[in-house]
């Protein structure tokens, strides 16, 4: 059973994720992002960036594993096997670059049960090692109620 007391909970920040140049390039190519600042360090630097620029959706590469670890915790009681994404948004406060070390803090903003489904709203704040905000990722996740 999903525990309503999860709402308002803030998890400790994850260990820093080191954004790798090759990962950024592979991700950009995989999603069809052909902008040279994502693929070529010289082009990125010529455009004023310290290194290649990750596409905005790159944050999911390290945010989703943190969400999954939280939801698979038996104490949370989430039916991960039947989960779907209802909504997702990413707001960048600044570009993500290769070489960044980023930590994710998950906030449980809402949990509702409606029409036989649990709907969980998570807000993931991504910050650099100095604590500066880099991105805010929000997800509404849905799973079956009563399937616990």
């Amino acid at each position: 059973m999903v525990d309503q007391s999860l709402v308002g909970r803030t998890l400790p920040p994850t260990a820093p994720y080191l954004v790798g140049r090759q990962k950024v390039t592979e991700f950009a190519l995989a999603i069809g992002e052909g902008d040279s600042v994502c693929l070529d360090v010289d082009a990125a630097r010529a455009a004023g960036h310290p290194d290649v620029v990750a596409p905005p959706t790159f944050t999911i590469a390290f945010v989703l594993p943190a969400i999954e670890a939280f939801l698979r915790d038996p104490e949370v009681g989430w039916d991960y096997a039947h989960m779907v994404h209802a909504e997702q948004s990413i707001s960048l406060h600044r570009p993500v670059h290769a070489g960044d070390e980023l930590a994710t803090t998950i906030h449980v903003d809402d949990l509702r049960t409606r029409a036989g489904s649990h709907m969980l709203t998570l807000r993931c704040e991504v910050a650099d090692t100095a604590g500066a905000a880099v991105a805010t990722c929000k997800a509404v996740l849905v799973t079956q109620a009563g399937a616990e």
Side-chain angles (χ1 to χ4, degrees):
M1 174 109 182
V2 180
D3 187 354
Q4 188 66 33
S5 72
L6 292 171
V7 176
R9 183 173 169 191
T10 299
L11 280 62
T14 62
Y17 174 85
L18 176 59
V19 178
R21 185 180 294 157
Q22 187 65 33
K23 289 286 186 188
V24 169
T25 300
E26 290 169 352
F27 188 89
L29 291 171
I31 65 167
E33 174 57 72
D35 192 325
S36 62
V37 299
C38 298
L39 305 172
D40 179 359
V41 69
D42 292 330
R45 288 182 177 149
H49 298 283
D51 210 310
V52 293
V53 179
T57 54
F58 180 82
T59 56
I60 201 65
F62 55 90
V63 169
L64 187 58
I67 290 172
E68 180 180 0
F70 168 65
L71 294 177
R72 288 190 182 271
D73 181 337
E75 291 184 21
V76 172
W78 189 255
D79 182 6
Y80 194 86
H82 295 101
M83 180 185 78
V84 295
H85 281 83
E87 295 177 30
Q88 186 151 356
S89 67
I90 301 168
S91 299
L92 289 179
H93 307 298
R94 69 148 174 92
V96 172
H97 301 102
D100 283 342
E101 290 188 62
L102 305 174
T104 302
T105 302
I106 298 174
H107 302 266
V108 181
D109 285 346
D110 193 26
L111 174 61
R112 297 178 191 193
T113 302
R114 210 181 288 161
S117 296
H118 293 306
M119 292 170 279
L120 181 66
T121 303
L122 300 177
R123 177 174 39 90
C124 301
E125 298 293 347
V126 177
D128 63 22
T129 54
V134 174
T136 300
C137 305
K138 295 182 181 177
V140 177
L141 308 168
V142 179
T143 197
Q144 297 174 3
E148 299 91 24

